[in-house]
Amino acid sequence: MNAEQATTPRVILVTGPARSGKSEWAEMLAVETQKPRIYLATARVDPNDSEWVARIAKHVHRRTHQGWKTWEVPILLAEALLEAPKDSCLLVDSLGTWVANLLAEEDATWEQMQRDLILACSLVGEVIFVAEETGWGVVPAYPSGRKFRDRLGALVRRLGAIAHTTYLVTGGHALNLSQLGTPLPPSSG
């Protein structure tokens, strides 16, 4: 790998349903880069939620003794991408949690945060995003559920448009959508 390849921005998107293996696939891709790895954890830890603490512990355990650094980034994701060393591979897990953390933000603020994130992607070395697919079922009955689904879906589409590779992980299998699919034109809304 030459110096230019080490600093050329590269975005990978790993998406799929819950418990499909998205995080494990993304971690494997990060390890394969042989770069220093930084895990950008978007979850807020609530010590009163034992099930949530156990989920986070499972993720941490997988990375133990593999040379990962972990940054907790529940809100300022674009800023964290820009602060990270350019020779690192950044793994953001997950976009759904990040979106949930920001549901109270006004639409204009949310739109600016998305633009900042997309811009930051063009300035980093390598970043892998893990994102949940939430819009494959019924329309949520509550406004907050619809807002979450719509924001996450639109963000995943925006990142998919700039990603060098997009994977769908489902049923324990990873499909390279960049090879199998045809990109849509940018969304108008």
Side-chain angles (χ1 to χ4, degrees), residues 41-58:
T42 60
R44 290 181 168 150
V45 180
D46 177 358
N48 297 316
D49 185 342
S50 59
E51 190 270 337
W52 188 243
V53 170
R55 282 178 183 250
I56 292 171
K58 183 177 179 182

Side-chain angles (χ1 to χ4, degrees), residues 163-176:
H164 295 83
T165 309
T166 299
Y167 293 98
L168 172 64
V169 180
T170 187
H173 290 76
L175 300 170
N176 185 328

Side-chain angles (χ1 to χ4, degrees), residues 1-9 35 86-88 124-126:
M1 175 184 312
N2 62 38
E4 182 180 314
Q5 289 172 317
T7 59
T8 301
K35 295 178 180 181
K86 300 291 186 253
D87 66 339
S88 298
V124 299
E126 181 149 6

Side-chain angles (χ1 to χ4, degrees), residues 29-187:
L29 293 173
V31 169
E32 286 178 354
T33 69
Q34 298 183 358
K35 295 178 180 181
R37 295 176 304 280
I38 302 174
Y39 187 96
L40 285 81
T42 60
R44 290 181 168 150
V45 180
D46 177 358
N48 297 316
D49 185 342
S50 59
E51 190 270 337
W52 188 243
V53 170
R55 282 178 183 250
I56 292 171
K58 183 177 179 182
H59 278 248
V60 170
H61 183 269
R62 268 201 319 264
R63 296 187 313 273
T64 302
H65 308 298
Q66 293 186 13
W68 289 89
K69 290 182 183 176
T70 300
W71 294 1
E72 293 182 10
V73 187
I75 302 293
L76 302 176
L77 191 51
E79 293 82 349
L81 294 181
L82 296 172
E83 290 174 16
K86 300 291 186 253
D87 66 339
S88 298
C89 177
L90 310 176
L91 193 159
V92 176
D93 196 356
S94 77
L95 288 175
T97 304
W98 185 65
V99 169
N101 293 341
L102 297 166
L103 273 183
E105 297 297 331
E106 295 294 328
D107 289 342
T109 302
W110 168 246
E111 185 58 36
Q112 184 61 52
M113 293 182 87
Q114 284 187 95
R115 282 193 301 269
D116 291 347
L117 182 63
I118 299 296
L119 177 60
C121 288
S122 68
L123 303 171
V124 299
E126 181 149 6
V127 61
I128 302 169
F129 290 99
V130 175
E132 300 81 358
E133 288 294 338
T134 60
W136 290 14
V138 298
V139 175
Y142 299 97
S144 61
R146 291 189 297 271
K147 184 177 188 178
F148 172 78
R149 182 205 56 185
D150 291 349
R151 282 186 174 183
L152 180 58
L155 176 59
V156 168
R157 182 168 178 179
R158 287 177 84 171
L159 285 170
I162 65 164
H164 295 83
T165 309
T166 299
Y167 293 98
L168 172 64
V169 180
T170 187
H173 290 76
L175 300 170
N176 185 328
L177 296 180
S178 301
Q179 291 177 346
L180 298 172
T182 302
L184 294 173
S187 175

